[in-house]
Structure formats: structure tokens, C-alpha cells
């Protein structure tokens, strides 16, 4: 009995000593790690701003395994100490920003050793990943040699942790381990709007869907401008930054430039994408919400004309505006892939709105809230037109049953598109909650 209790005491004491030693080692490592990351932050804050990029279309590049090593998405310069420390990190813990933090190992597994590349952005590759829960996500790796890497990462997690909207590509997790910074986003299975507008091997987007997409994007931007506290200016609205989900619902992606704004309000360099940039911003260097409105106007014209700013979109628009004074006659610039199937009235209303957005004087441009209202009204009218058309068709079939001959063209003279290869599920439809459908 005595032997047993003395054994127990010895065992307990050894356990306590080991526990205390481990706690001290862990504390030392934690302090060491914090110091390292503080040094990293301050040096990255001196990083240069994002230069103008001239890529209006998708820059998706499939990288070979030799470019992206199977072990590591980008080269790691960490020493053994921090590698060892990484072993202590718990996977999938919720950080201060409220966004779950995943371990490097989890993401390595989810991306089959970083072999599932789906795109390449300015900051590094993007991978498709299947998490252990079965959820499919997109993992964006910030290249460590990217000038903005550290700053981008710190700010994006902080910023996106508080931004949630159904028309934004929401951040669902992140990883900061083994010298890597990764952002985990909702997976957008239908890719970018640019790929749908310009890729030959994709079904052309019909007119109905283009207006829905415009409203989705407008709602995402309205949230950033008027719903987020403090307000967020996107700074890089373009068709390759609009992503589509399985039901063709659009979301605004890539807050790269708004991240920059968070940390450096007085950045001197001109940033954004050539062709979408507000001329007023280029001359004054003052980026405002109305600069996002300008880029949104360019995007609306892309949806109408199916051409990029690099393909002379705005010259084309100005020529058409000379004849129509910006109000009617926009049919002449419409995308030939629509094959003439669009509602002329809707087209002219959307184009007139787009033309207001690209007004040289920012104060003459509408706000994102005004834009949401106009697009909502256009879609509301569409729904009531279709409803009336439905009533007409019902009475028509009733009349046909009574063997009365009626000219169908009289009832459907507008040429409203019927076919819809990209059918949006009504439950996911952004107008479903607003309109009586
Ligand atoms: N959440 C996502 N779901 C599905 N695919 C995505 C997602 N995020 C990015 N991608 C794909 O990866 C590509 C690169 O995305 P990324 O945002 O890094 O760069 P980009 O917007 O194309 O270019 P840039 O960095 O110059 O703005 C996108 O074009 C898209 O095809």
C-alpha cells in the first residue's frame, strides 16, 4: 500500500515537472513566433502598391506540377524552430477575426498536395480543395515573393472576417503556417463572368441572365459601399473579378485593392485595371465610391456588348451615344452572341444606366443604391410583363379550346427571350425575395 502511494506521488511529481517544462518551452516558442511575425509585418508594410494591370479577361493559367512543387505551393524559407512550432498549431480553430484557421496539412490533403490548380492571379495560384467535411472550397495561395503578401494577408483576413453578403465571394477560412499564407473562399463552380462572355467553348449568356448578373454585382457593391462599416471601395471591378456559382448567381471577388486601401489610405501609385479605371481618379489620384461606379458602368457595357475595354469597348459606346444621346438606339452595340434575342426596352434602359455610370463627372454618376433600384425596377417590369403574358397565354389556350382563331404574334410582339440554357434556380434567384414570381 505504502509502495503504491509513493509510486503515485513520484509519478504525479514527474508529470507535473514535465508539464511545467513543456509549458515554459511552448511559451518561449510562442513569444519567438510573435516577434517573427511582428518583424514580418513591419517590413511588409513598406511594400509597394499594386501596379496597373492590363488584363481585362480571365488570367487563368493551368500550371504544371513542375512549376508548383507537390510539397509546397511556394518556397518556404522557415527554419526548424518555427517548423517545430507549427506542429503545435491546432487545425481548424476559430481566430480572433472569427474566420476558422486551418492547418497546412489539412490544406495539403484537401488540394491533393497542391496539384489541383484552377487559376493564377496576381498574388499566386488558386487551388480547388475538398475539405474533410466534403465541402468544396477555393484556396488562394499568396506567393511569399509577392510584394503585398504579408500585408495583403493580414488585412484580407481582418477585412473579410467582417464582410458577409450573398453577392460577395466570402472568406471561409485561412492558413498561416510553414511560411505560407492561404485564403479559403467559397468555391464558385461556374468560374468567372469573363470566361462566360469571352470563351468560345462556353454557352453564350442570354440577355435575361445578364441583367440578373448585373443586379447581383450591384447588390454586392451596394453592400460594400453602404452596408459595411467602415465602407469598402473595391477598386478593381472587372468581369474577371465576378464569379458565378452553380445556379449562375454572381458574386464580387478579389478585394485585393480594397485591402491596400485599409492599410495605406494615401498610397501614391495609380492602381486598378486599365480600361476600367475612372479617368477622374487617374488625374486626381482620389479613389471614391463613384470610381467603383465608373468600373461598374464599364462592366454593364461588357454585358451588353460582349467585348472587353481592351477591344475598344468605350470607343464603341461613345460612337453609339453620339447617335442616341445615351437614351435609345443601343441595339447597334449589342453582343452578336445574343443573336438578336433580347428585350429592346430593357437593353436601352440598362445601357442608359451604364452611360450615366461612366459620366466623366463623378457627381453626375448614380450611387450603387440608385443603380440597385433601377435594375430592380427593370426586373420587376420584366416579371409583370411575363405574368401578363402568362395570363394572355392562358386565355389564348382557353380560346383555342373554343376553336377561336387568334394571331399569336399580337400577344407576343416584344420578342422576349424564352430559351434559357443557364437557368437560375428560383430559390437562389436574387430577385425571388423582392419580386412576385
Ligand atoms: N472562389 C473561387 N472559386 C472558383 N474559382 C476561383 C475562385 N477564386 C479564384 N478562382 C479562379 O482562379 C482565378 C484566379 O483568381 P484570382 O482572384 O487570384 O486572380 P484574378 O482575379 O483572375 O486576377 P487578378 O489577381 O489579376 O485580379 C480566377 O480567374 C478564377 O478562375
Amino acid at each position: 500500500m505504502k509502495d503504491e502511494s509513493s509510486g503515485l506521488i513520484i509519478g504525479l511529481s514527474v508529470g507535473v515537472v514535465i508539464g511545467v517544462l513543456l509549458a515554459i518551452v511552448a511559451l518561449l516558442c510562442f513569444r519567438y513566433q510573435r516577434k517573427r511575425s511582428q518583424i514580418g509585418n513591419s517590413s511588409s508594410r513598406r511594400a509597394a502598391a499594386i501596379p496597373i494591370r492590363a488584363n481585362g479577361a480571365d488570367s487563368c493559367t493551368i500550371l504544371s506540377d513542375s512549376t508548383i512543387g507537390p510539397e509546397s505551393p511556394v518556397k518556404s524559407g522557415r527554419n526548424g524552430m518555427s517548423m517545430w512550432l507549427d506542429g503545435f498549431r491546432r487545425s481548424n480553430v476559430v481566430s480572433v477575426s472569427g474566420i476558422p484557421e486551418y492547418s497546412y496539412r489539412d490544406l495539403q490533403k484537401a488540394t491533393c498536395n497542391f496539384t489541383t490548380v484552377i487559376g493564377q492571379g496576381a498574388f499566386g495560384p488558386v487551388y480547388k480543395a475538398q475539405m474533410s467535411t466534403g465541402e468544396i472550397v477555393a484556396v488562394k495561395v499568396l506567393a511569399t515573393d509577392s510584394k503585398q503578401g504579408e500585408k495583403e494577408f493580414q488585412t484580407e483576413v481582418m477585412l473579410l472576417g467582417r464582410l458577409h453578403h450573398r453577392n460577395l465571394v466570402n472568406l471561409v477560412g485561412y492558413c498561416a503556417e510553414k511560411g505560407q499564407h492561404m485564403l479559403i473562399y467559397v468555391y464558385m463552380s461556374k468560374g468567372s463572368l469573363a470566361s462566360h462572355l469571352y470563351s468560345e467553348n462556353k454557352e453564350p449568356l442570354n440577355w435575361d441572365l445578364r441583367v440578373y448578373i448585373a443586379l447581383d454585382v450591384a447588390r454586392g457593391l451596394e453592400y460594400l459601399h453602404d452596408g459595411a462599416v467602415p465602407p469598402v471601395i473595391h477598386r478593381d471591378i472587372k468581369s474577371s473579378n465576378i464569379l458565378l456559382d452553380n445556379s449562375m448567381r454572381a458574386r464580387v471577388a478579389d478585394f485585393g485593392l480594397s485591402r491596400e486601401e485599409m492599410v495605406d489610405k494615401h498610397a501614391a501609385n495609380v492602381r486598378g485595371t486599365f480600361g476600367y479605371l475612372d479617368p477622374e481618379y487617374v488625374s486626381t489620384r482620389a479613389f471614391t465610391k463613384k470610381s467603383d461606379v465608373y468600373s461598374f458602368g464599364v462592366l454593364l457595357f461588357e454585358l451588353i456588348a460582349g467585348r472587353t475595354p481592351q477591344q475598344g469597348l468605350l470607343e464603341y459606346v461613345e460612337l453609339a451615344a453620339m447617335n442616341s444621346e445615351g437614351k435609345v438606339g443601343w441595339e447597334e452595340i449589342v453582343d452578336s452572341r445574343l443573336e438578336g434575342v433580347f428585350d429592346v426596352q430593357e437593353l436601352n434602359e440598362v445601357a442608359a444606366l451604364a452611360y450615366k455610370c461612366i459620366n466623366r463627372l463623378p457627381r453626375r454618376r448614380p450611387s450603387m443604391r440608385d443603380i440597385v433600384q433601377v435594375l430592380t425596377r427593370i426586373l420587376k417590369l420584366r416579371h409583370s410583363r411575363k405574368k401578363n403574358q402568362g395570363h394572355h397565354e392562358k386565355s389564348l389556350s382557353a380560346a383555342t379550346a373554343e376553336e377561336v382563331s387568334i394571331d399569336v404574334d399580337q400577344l407576343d410582339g416584344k420578342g422576349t427571350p424564352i430559351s434559357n440554357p443557364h437557368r437560375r434556380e428560383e430559390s437562389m434567384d436574387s430577385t425571388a425575395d423582392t419580386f412576385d414570381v
Side-chain angles (χ1 to χ4, degrees):
M1 186 70 183
K2 203 178 170 188
D3 279 355
E4 263 177 29
S5 56
S6 58
L8 193 70
I9 290 166
I10 291 170
L12 275 174
S13 323
V14 170
V16 167
V17 170
I18 291 174
V20 169
L21 279 175
L22 276 177
I24 291 170
V25 171
L27 189 74
L28 285 174
C29 291
F30 175 72
R31 292 183 63 175
Y32 174 79
Q33 172 78 357
R34 233 183 34 184
K35 206 165 184 178
R36 269 184 66 93
S37 69
Q38 275 165 3
I39 293 166
N41 284 347
S42 57
S43 64
S44 72
R45 252 176 220 120
R46 291 190 295 269
I50 301 165
I52 294 181
R53 275 171 275 142
N55 57 329
D58 239 4
S59 57
C60 174
T61 312
I62 303 296
L63 298 179
S64 68
D65 286 356
S66 60
T67 321
I68 304 295
E71 279 305 308
S72 160
V74 277
K75 283 197 183 92
S76 167
R78 302 277 297 270
N79 61 22
M81 178 66 139
S82 47
M83 293 287 197
W84 177 80
L85 182 81
D86 290 335
F88 270 110
R89 285 175 187 263
R90 279 186 298 129
S91 80
N92 195 4
V93 291
V94 176
S95 69
V96 240
S97 60
I99 299 288
E101 181 178 359
Y102 289 85
S103 71
Y104 179 86
R105 195 177 295 189
D106 282 345
L107 297 184
Q108 191 175 28
K109 208 169 147 197
T111 56
C112 303
N113 258 349
F114 299 99
T115 55
T116 52
V117 178
I118 47 171
Q120 174 74 42
F123 307 119
V126 181
Y127 300 89
K128 184 176 176 179
Q130 180 162 25
M131 307 307 279
S132 56
T133 53
E135 190 191 359
I136 307 284
V137 294
V139 177
K140 193 185 266 192
V141 177
L142 300 185
T144 46
D145 58 354
S146 153
K147 279 181 182 168
Q148 301 83 8
E150 185 79 25
K151 183 165 66 178
E152 289 294 328
F153 185 76
Q154 298 290 339
T155 320
E156 183 138 24
V157 173
M158 187 174 82
L159 174 70
L160 293 186
R162 63 183 176 83
L163 294 177
H164 289 284
H165 190 269
R166 62 184 179 170
N167 297 117
L168 295 181
V169 179
N170 295 319
L171 187 74
V172 293
Y174 74 98
C175 169
E177 210 181 308
K178 293 190 192 286
Q180 310 284 331
H181 289 151
M182 301 182 220
L183 295 166
I184 307 167
Y185 290 96
V186 173
Y187 179 67
M188 302 295 284
S189 62
K190 292 286 199 302
S192 72
L193 172 62
S195 70
H196 284 268
L197 286 175
Y198 309 117
S199 164
E200 287 300 321
N201 48 22
K202 282 211 161 101
E203 191 89 31
L205 295 173
N206 65 45
W207 174 253
D208 278 15
L209 197 50
R210 292 183 197 213
V211 185
Y212 278 123
I213 289 171
L215 179 59
D216 280 344
V217 177
R219 282 183 167 159
L221 276 174
E222 182 198 22
Y223 169 77
L224 290 177
H225 287 185
D226 301 328
V229 183
V232 174
I233 301 176
H234 187 286
R235 306 191 67 140
D236 201 16
I237 287 296
K238 55 180 176 179
S239 53
S240 64
N241 276 340
I242 306 304
L243 299 180
L244 299 162
D245 72 11
N246 211 28
S247 36
M248 297 303 280
R249 171 160 207 167
R251 293 182 187 226
V252 177
D254 203 350
F255 296 90
L257 299 174
S258 48
R259 287 186 306 239
E260 185 77 17
E261 180 72 359
M262 288 280 297
V263 274
D264 186 4
K265 286 201 168 64
H266 308 289
N269 292 4
V270 172
R271 288 168 285 127
T273 299
F274 178 75
Y276 294 85
L277 270 179
D278 172 11
E280 180 76 5
Y281 160 65
V282 177
S283 55
T284 62
R285 299 291 158 90
F287 208 102
T288 64
K289 291 177 186 175
K290 292 292 179 82
S291 311
D292 271 353
V293 170
Y294 181 92
S295 311
F296 179 78
V298 177
L299 183 89
L300 280 184
F301 276 122
E302 267 190 282
L303 283 165
I304 292 168
R307 57 169 68 208
T308 67
Q310 287 72 42
Q311 294 166 330
L313 174 68
L314 291 186
E315 289 81 349
Y316 210 50
V317 164
E318 289 304 344
L319 275 177
M322 273 202 267
N323 302 332
S324 65
E325 291 172 354
K327 290 200 173 101
V328 289
W330 289 102
E331 303 90 286
E332 67 179 82
I333 67 158
V334 86
D335 187 355
S336 59
R337 296 182 85 200
L338 287 171
E339 294 178 334
V341 186
F342 56 88
D343 184 289
V344 180
Q345 192 189 326
E346 274 186 18
L347 175 92
N348 278 303
E349 282 176 358
V350 174
L353 175 67
Y355 198 60
K356 282 185 185 149
C357 294
I358 61 163
N359 194 303
R360 262 204 95 92
L361 296 175
R363 67 187 155 78
R364 292 255 178 98
R365 297 173 200 155
S367 67
M368 284 318 301
R369 184 158 288 172
D370 299 334
I371 293 168
V372 167
Q373 278 173 8
V374 173
L375 291 170
T376 304
R377 190 185 49 78
I378 291 172
L379 283 169
K380 220 170 190 170
L381 283 174
R382 175 192 290 177
H383 281 279
S384 49
R385 252 196 328 266
K386 283 194 171 166
K387 221 173 176 181
N388 289 342
Q389 196 179 307
H391 287 316
H392 280 304
E393 271 161 14
K394 260 191 202 150
S395 34
L396 171 65
S397 52
T400 312
E402 288 168 23
E403 293 187 348
V404 177
S405 170
I406 291 177
D407 183 1
V408 179
D409 287 340
Q410 281 177 353
L411 297 168
D412 190 16
K414 287 253 172 198
T416 310
I418 311 281
S419 68
N420 188 355
H422 287 121
R423 228 186 108 75
R424 284 159 64 112
E425 287 161 27
E426 286 305 319
S427 62
M428 292 295 287
D429 194 318
S430 61
T431 56
D433 52 352
T434 321
F435 300 124
D436 179 20
V437 281

